[in-house]
Amino acid sequence: METTKELKVIKDLTLDFKDITDNDVEILQYFFNHYPSRSCDFSVGGVLLWNKFYNYQYCIIGETLIIMGTWPESNLKIFYEPRGEMSLEEYKDLVANYCRINKEKGILLLPEEYAPVEDGDGRPVDQTLMPDWMEYIYEIDKFINFPGKKMSKKRNHLNFFKNHYDFSIEEINEENADELVKFTDDFSINHSDDKIAVYEAEEVKRALLSYSSYPYLGILIRVNGKIAGYTFGEAIGDTMIIHVEKGDINYGGVYQALSSFFAETVKEKYPEVQYLNREDDMGSEDLRKSKISYHPSKFIGKRVISF
């Protein structure tokens, strides 16, 4: 039980935030690897690919990393669960005090795992969760050739791709980065009216051109020498977080091929990985249906506490 003196020490701590930049990769990696979470919020790509969108900042208190963002086109502050030794109760006091002193409105996002339900779209029904930020978690072994009756449609698409195209697989590196940037530009033409998609494409291109600076693992697929799609992510603990997946749908089954071949690559490189986090659906009904169709084994919901 905390004493009054201990609570005063916590409230007197100053949250002195600084902007997150690409120079902070090692700092982020240290805390995310030492205090792992299955949520994409606590990954290098989850932070840096969306850094400009949410204006992420951080501070370190002892052995604890604290990340704060700002909701786009507003002053609402977003506080993420701390990574480190600080208790959640201590952190809540710090956040409440920060918002009071700075006259800010803020929310604290707390990731929680849920098992899928059988009715509806399979996602948990809980009014305190943010539905558009629900992350989809899958068993990696179910993506390697899509075994079982539930995955028969995915397996058929994968087999179509395997049987109809002369394809090859490469790991992503800076030697094929320029080709991938061109592919991303072509891919983005059909999404030019979507502000978030345009932002994401620009950040992905920037990441590709400095690929070795980040802890990413990725593959691309060529058909007759031409890039048909690519994907990359990063391993945190027992989970591979899939940050990007883009395919040319003129090649039937390309997305099933990307996800299955990448699962095989992940198992080879990171045998400890048991799950794939394919991130959230951003409120897109089409993305939601697609993610549900792969039969997630878990969800990560975001419980919200307001200050």
Side-chain angles (χ1 to χ4, degrees), residues 253-272:
V254 67
Y255 276 104
Q256 288 73 29
L258 281 169
S259 57
S260 185
F261 294 152
F262 188 47
E264 290 183 8
T265 302
V266 171
K267 285 287 283 189
E268 178 184 343
K269 300 286 186 178
Y270 300 102
E272 71 276 14

Side-chain angles (χ1 to χ4, degrees), residues 28-207:
L28 296 175
Q29 269 193 284
Y30 171 82
F31 283 99
F32 295 155
N33 288 330
H34 280 75
Y35 305 95
S37 168
R38 290 180 180 144
S39 171
C40 63
D41 291 341
F42 308 109
S43 63
V44 171
V47 173
L48 291 182
L49 287 172
W50 295 95
N51 191 20
K52 295 177 183 176
F53 193 81
Y54 290 109
N55 294 311
Y56 283 131
Q57 296 180 300
Y58 78 98
C59 70
I60 297 172
I61 296 179
E63 184 64 13
T64 298
L65 171 72
I66 295 169
I67 295 177
M68 177 182 72
T70 303
W71 191 262
E73 300 177 357
S74 80
N75 292 319
L76 180 68
K77 299 301 180 184
I78 310 167
F79 296 89
Y80 294 83
E81 187 180 49
R83 295 290 94 192
E85 296 179 351
M86 184 180 295
S87 74
L88 187 56
E89 290 307 312
E90 291 173 328
Y91 183 58
K92 287 178 184 177
D93 286 335
L94 274 177
V95 170
N97 199 46
Y98 178 90
C99 290
R100 179 182 60 79
I101 291 173
N102 293 280
K103 297 181 172 58
E104 302 273 16
K105 289 186 177 180
I107 57 173
L108 169 58
L109 297 183
L110 299 177
E112 297 183 11
E113 288 192 10
Y114 294 85
V117 294
E118 294 302 321
D119 58 335
D121 64 4
R123 302 191 314 164
V125 178
D126 188 330
Q127 297 301 315
T128 66
L129 300 177
M130 299 187 74
D132 295 348
W133 287 9
M134 191 83 68
E135 300 174 43
Y136 295 74
I137 311 296
Y138 307 83
E139 294 176 36
I140 189 171
D141 290 341
K142 292 185 177 179
F143 269 66
I144 298 176
N145 295 318
F146 301 117
K149 184 177 180 181
K150 283 186 176 181
M151 302 298 271
S152 61
K153 289 184 178 180
K154 306 302 181 187
R155 187 167 62 252
N156 290 340
H157 288 308
L158 172 63
N159 289 335
F160 179 91
F161 185 90
K162 288 180 175 180
N163 294 330
H164 284 78
Y165 302 111
D166 180 13
F167 68 90
S168 60
I169 303 168
E170 299 173 20
E171 281 195 33
I172 295 175
N173 53 52
E174 293 190 355
E175 292 180 3
N176 48 43
D178 287 340
E179 287 182 273
L180 290 171
V181 167
K182 176 63 167 57
F183 179 90
T184 304
D185 280 332
D186 294 341
F187 179 91
S188 300
I189 290 174
N190 295 326
H191 304 87
S192 59
D193 58 343
D194 185 331
K195 184 173 72 171
I196 293 179
V198 170
Y199 168 88
E200 187 254 7
E202 291 302 311
E203 290 303 300
V204 167
K205 289 190 294 182
R206 190 174 67 84

